[in-house]
Amino acid sequence: MAVTDEAIEKIKGMILSGALRPGDRLPKESELAAELGLSRNSLREAVRALCLIRILDVRQGDGTYVTSLDPRLLLEALSFVVDFHRDDTVLEFLAVRRILEPAATAMAAGRIAPAQLDALERQLTALGPAPSVEDLIACDLEFHRTIVAASGNSVLCSLLEGLSGPTTRARVWRGLTQKDAVARTLTEHRAILGALRDRDAQAAQAWATVHIASVEQWLRASL
C-alpha cells in the first residue's frame, strides 16, 4: 500500500507542477513507470485510485488522461462518501449546510436573473398548497440548486450538491412526521424568493438560515 501511495503522490506532483495539465494524456505505462521509478503494478494501482476520485480517466484503446479537474467533477466523490454516514450524523451535515447555503443565497441575490426568479415563482405556484411529500422534496432540491448555482461559485455549488444525501432524508422524515412541514416550507421558500427579487442579500441570507435551521431543530428533537 505504501508503494501505491508513493505512486499516487508522484502522479499528483506531476499534475501540481504543471508537467501534466487538465486534458493531457499520460505517457505510456512503461515509460511513465520508468520515469517515476515505479513498478508497473504500483503505477496501475495508483491510476485506478486516481480514476475513482476523477483525477484521471482511462479511455479504453486510447490511453489515460488527466480529467478537466473541474470542481463539480472532483467533488462528485463527496456525495458517495456522505451516503455512508449514519443517520444520526445528519445533524453535522445540516450544520455545514446552514453555514454554506445562506452565504450562497446572499451571493445569488446580486446575480440571479429575472428569468430564473420567474421560473422559481412558477415552480412554487405549480406545486400548489398541498403537494405530496415526494413533490415537495423534488421542488425543494431544485429550488435550492437553482439559487446556489446563481451564486456563481462552482466549488460552493458542488459542495452543497454533495451534502444533499443526508439532508434529503431529513426532509423526507420531516415531511412524513411533521404536519405543518409543507406549509412552513412553502412559506420559507416564498420569503427567500421575495428577498431575492428585492436584491436584499441580508434578508435572503437570513431566510435561508431560518429555513435550514427549522429542519435542523426538528431533527435534533426527533433523534
Side-chain angles (χ1 to χ4, degrees), residues 21-39:
R21 303 183 65 81
D24 281 355
R25 180 178 176 176
L26 271 64
K28 291 181 180 178
E29 183 183 271
S30 58
E31 296 173 3
L32 185 58
E35 179 184 343
L36 298 179
L38 301 167
S39 71

Side-chain angles (χ1 to χ4, degrees), residues 1 4-5 7-9 11 41-58 77:
M1 191 64 189
T4 302
D5 289 345
I8 290 171
E9 285 300 316
I11 296 173
N41 281 339
S42 62
L43 180 59
R44 288 190 197 111
E45 290 300 320
V47 167
R48 288 192 190 100
L50 291 169
C51 283
L52 286 174
I53 56 173
R54 304 291 198 265
I55 302 295
L56 298 179
D57 177 30
V58 175

Side-chain angles (χ1 to χ4, degrees), residues 201-222:
Q202 288 186 329
Q205 183 169 5
W207 274 112
T209 302
V210 167
H211 180 54
I212 299 165
S214 66
V215 179
E216 189 178 354
Q217 183 181 32
W218 169 82
L219 187 58
R220 191 179 299 279
S222 301

Side-chain angles (χ1 to χ4, degrees), residues 148-212:
V148 171
S151 72
N153 188 309
S154 60
V155 174
L156 191 55
C157 189
S158 297
L159 282 171
L160 285 166
E161 186 75 19
L163 292 171
S164 67
T167 54
T168 299
R169 290 199 295 275
R171 290 190 199 101
V172 172
W173 302 332
R174 184 170 185 249
L176 290 174
T177 61
Q178 188 170 317
K179 292 181 180 179
D180 66 343
V182 172
R184 182 183 297 183
T185 297
L186 294 176
T187 297
E188 290 164 355
H189 277 186
R190 290 200 173 277
I192 292 169
L193 182 58
L196 292 173
R197 282 198 183 279
D198 292 340
R199 305 295 177 183
D200 188 334
Q202 288 186 329
Q205 183 169 5
W207 274 112
T209 302
V210 167
H211 180 54
I212 299 165

Side-chain angles (χ1 to χ4, degrees), residues 96-132:
V96 174
R97 185 178 166 223
R98 181 158 48 87
I99 294 168
L100 297 179
E101 191 161 306
T105 304
M107 292 165 66
R111 300 174 57 96
I112 193 166
Q116 289 176 299
L117 293 170
D118 291 342
L120 291 174
E121 182 75 47
R122 289 193 297 271
Q123 184 185 65
L124 292 179
T125 300
L127 198 60
S132 67

